[in-house]
Amino acid sequence: MAPLVERSLLLLLLLLSPFVASAGILELNSSSPLFGIEFPPFNTAVADPGCDGKLVAAGDERTQPASQPSPSLKLHMTRRAAEAGGTRRDSVLDSARKDAVRIETMHRKAAAAARAGGGERASYSPRRALSERLVATVESGVAVGSGEYLMDVYVGTPPRRFRMIMDTGSDLNWLQCAPCLDCFEQRGPVFDPVASSSYRNVTCGDARCGLVSPPEPAPRSCRRPGEDPCPYYYWYGDQSNTTGDLALESFTVNLTSPGASRRVDGVVFGCGHRNRGLFHGAAGLLGLGRGPLSFASQLRAVYGHTFSYCLVDHGSDAASKVVFGEDPLLLAHPRLNYTAFASPAAAGDTFYYVQLKSVLVGGERLDISADAWAVSKKDGTGGAIVDSGTTLSYFAEPAYRVIRQAFVDRMSRSYPLVAGFPVLSPCYNVSGVERPEVPELALEFADGAVWDFPAENYFIRLDDDVMCLAVLGTPRSGMSIIGNFQQQNFHVVYDLKENRLGFAPRRCAEV
């Protein structure tokens, strides 16, 4: 483990390295329908003219005005359907089991970051962004441990389509790569670096190599810093990890205009030759965490400091959206509310921490100790985060017990309790009731912001007869997590320039 000063220098070097869009506009041929990317009329590539730091459009000598806001790039995001023959109850229980593995991983990551050393996060001021936005559609489905929302990404030259998990709780972008020495089953072929003319290994002497852990147990050797590849090891849970070579590659996304696309060159990603865990069906993972290797951080040089997503409800066939850059419609939303991000548990931490103050049930503030929301100074665990890859919402055990009892006390006696239902509690018999009435739930943050949720975001109907509270507890040392089920039909924005989280109720199928 490098000393703190060396790690900070490596982080700074990466943040200052240029990640710019290619001038090439490629054509994609596919027999299957493609989810598109919607660009505004300005659609030129990025070029860096030199040391003055000014960005100009390729083929255009005019610089972009510094005061011009960064528009957004919108992409589709869809949710995978449950496996054939499975019920919604089976799907939720499976999600809860995989959430448990993910939460244990988060505990370990937070503790490891705290042991590695604290200190302030390196500041990051994005370069002037081009006047365009990126908006994508994401597919969501049965939870797969590290995230359940999927994006179509085209990688390499010529570009080939891969479906990648979108995850705000991790940083590294990676694909299963040939030769696949130990890989999980995925739909379609794995990525073959030999078949791509734009593939380049990150060498072991590159500063970016210091941002990933070497394979265990042997330390990384680097006899030829400018030639030898950079091997990496990245873990998610007890059985979930990826090992391979850190590399640079072109990532292409297709536009809504037929046959048009945008390519971004030099994206750092992991070419995974040994991959195990809860990723079945996906080709790899697209990290949107706070770290410098995440896809969101790498696109920040072009699209600015903001990204957001809007998740349709779990039962919908419509596509969700993820937006890189600012969304004017969201910024103009009359009910857009912000809360400041809390300080991370340690410098370089992946997670998006928020500072919870209290929980309101039925309009009443519950008696929960402030210690339930605090990050442990001893080992870095605890605190509260917002996460797209965890399905349900989880609260530290002392807080969860109070929340659960509050619902039991305030729930209408016309809905009988269902005893012995696995994992979730309390559960109620709501047979014959189309829209049961439940107490309101809201989260209050330390700066006064309040996030109110509709009933369908914290109660889940598993069949015609049973409805359960979609909230669970974690051990006292565990962190609290606002999961994606609770975020349904909210446009959630991560503004890293102002260091704040925004949320506004929206019909996400219409975004």
Side-chain angles (χ1 to χ4, degrees):
M1 186 70 67
L4 177 60
V5 173
E6 294 178 8
R7 290 177 44 157
S8 300
L9 287 174
L10 289 172
L11 179 62
L12 183 60
L13 283 173
L14 178 63
L15 292 177
L16 293 177
S17 62
F19 293 100
V20 296
S22 162
I25 302 299
L26 307 177
E27 300 233 352
L28 301 179
N29 296 318
S30 175
S31 58
S32 59
L34 303 178
F35 293 109
I37 294 180
E38 176 185 314
F39 282 94
F42 183 78
N43 188 29
T44 50
V46 181
D48 193 337
C51 299
D52 62 1
K54 296 179 180 178
L55 289 178
V56 298
D60 187 347
E61 297 301 323
R62 294 170 298 175
T63 59
Q64 296 300 315
S67 60
Q68 188 170 346
S70 303
S72 58
L73 184 59
K74 182 185 293 183
L75 299 101
H76 293 289
M77 180 171 64
T78 50
R79 189 171 195 274
R80 196 182 328 172
E83 295 182 11
T87 64
R88 189 168 193 187
R89 168 174 166 168
D90 294 335
S91 176
V92 171
L93 296 180
D94 185 55
S95 295
R97 286 191 294 268
K98 292 171 180 175
D99 279 352
V101 175
R102 179 179 178 84
I103 293 168
E104 176 60 27
T105 301
M106 290 175 168
H107 294 171
R108 293 169 59 194
K109 280 184 177 289
R115 288 194 301 270
E120 295 297 321
R121 175 182 298 276
S123 62
Y124 176 70
S125 298
R127 301 187 300 166
R128 295 189 184 95
L130 289 183
S131 301
E132 60 186 22
R133 60 196 181 114
L134 172 63
V135 186
T137 304
V138 180
E139 175 182 336
S140 75
V142 177
V144 289
S146 292
E148 61 174 305
Y149 288 88
L150 306 174
M151 290 174 55
D152 283 339
V153 180
Y154 297 80
V155 182
T157 306
R160 289 177 171 82
R161 179 188 179 190
F162 298 94
R163 183 154 288 185
M164 302 177 71
I165 296 165
M166 185 202 80
D167 182 17
T168 61
S170 63
D171 294 324
L172 183 68
N173 312 300
W174 60 270
L175 286 169
Q176 295 204 110
C177 279
C180 228
L181 305 177
D182 183 9
C183 291
F184 54 82
E185 183 179 354
Q186 75 174 60
R187 296 179 182 177
V190 299
F191 176 75
D192 186 357
V194 176
S196 171
S197 62
S198 52
Y199 178 89
R200 299 288 184 274
N201 275 325
V202 171
T203 62
C204 60
D206 192 304
R208 290 167 289 198
C209 188
L211 296 172
V212 290
S213 298
E216 298 176 340
R220 182 188 294 120
S221 62
C222 189
R223 297 177 181 176
R224 297 176 298 175
E227 299 179 34
D228 291 345
C230 172
Y232 75 88
Y233 173 71
Y234 199 95
W235 54 269
Y236 298 90
D238 293 338
Q239 302 297 324
S240 301
N241 56 73
T242 174
T243 303
D245 297 318
L246 200 64
L248 304 173
E249 188 52 285
S250 298
F251 278 47
T252 303
V253 288
N254 60 301
L255 310 180
T256 51
S257 303
S261 65
R262 165 57 59 85
R263 189 176 78 186
V264 181
D265 286 338
V267 175
V268 181
F269 83 112
C271 190
H273 302 299
R274 299 180 184 274
N275 315 288
R276 295 181 176 182
L278 306 171
F279 313 107
H280 297 288
L285 188 142
L286 203 68
L288 297 180
R290 298 192 73 152
L293 289 180
S294 80
F295 194 66
S297 294
Q298 295 191 53
L299 285 189
R300 208 177 302 167
V302 180
Y303 297 108
H305 52 76
T306 299
F307 77 91
S308 62
Y309 53 73
C310 201
L311 306 179
V312 298
D313 64 79
H314 281 214
S316 174
D317 294 329
S320 299
K321 304 293 191 302
V322 59
V323 182
F324 294 98
E326 293 182 342
D327 185 336
L329 291 178
L330 173 60
L331 296 179
H333 196 292
R335 295 179 63 188
L336 175 62
N337 204 351
Y338 288 103
T339 185
F341 283 122
S343 298
D349 206 323
T350 296
F351 308 126
Y352 295 97
Y353 286 86
V354 290
Q355 183 58 63
L356 282 177
K357 178 182 178 182
S358 61
V359 176
L360 290 81
V361 174
E364 297 181 28
R365 186 175 288 106
L366 304 183
D367 184 15
I368 299 174
S369 170
D371 292 341
W373 317 121
V375 175
S376 170
K377 295 181 180 179
K378 179 180 179 181
D379 60 9
T381 58
I385 67 170
V386 179
D387 182 37
S388 71
T390 303
T391 304
L392 305 179
S393 288
Y394 295 80
F395 294 96
E397 192 64 37
Y400 168 68
R401 289 197 298 267
V402 176
I403 295 168
R404 180 190 177 280
Q405 190 60 47
F407 276 100
V408 171
D409 294 343
R410 292 164 175 79
M411 196 71 176
S412 171
R413 297 297 181 264
S414 59
Y415 309 133
L417 276 168
V418 176
F421 195 86
V423 183
L424 300 179
S425 177
C427 294
Y428 298 92
N429 187 328
V430 291
S431 178
V433 183
E434 183 176 353
R435 295 185 62 85
E437 295 183 3
V438 301
E440 297 174 347
L441 173 67
L443 302 180
E444 183 180 16
F445 299 95
D447 53 12
V450 177
W451 195 344
D452 295 293
F453 300 96
E456 56 268 23
N457 284 35
Y458 55 94
F459 267 95
I460 185 168
R461 194 151 184 166
L462 300 178
D463 53 39
D464 292 338
D465 298 328
V466 179
M467 177 185 72
C468 299
L469 182 66
V471 171
L472 288 171
T474 54
R476 184 176 183 85
S477 61
M479 63 177 62
S480 298
I481 303 170
I482 304 173
N484 64 54
F485 189 85
Q486 205 160 343
Q487 298 175 49
Q488 296 172 102
N489 286 310
F490 279 92
H491 202 150
V492 182
V493 56
Y494 296 72
D495 183 345
L496 300 181
K497 181 179 181 181
E498 301 297 334
N499 195 42
R500 60 185 182 175
L501 177 81
F503 43 91
R506 299 185 77 177
R507 295 183 179 274
C508 289
E510 301 173 3
V511 172

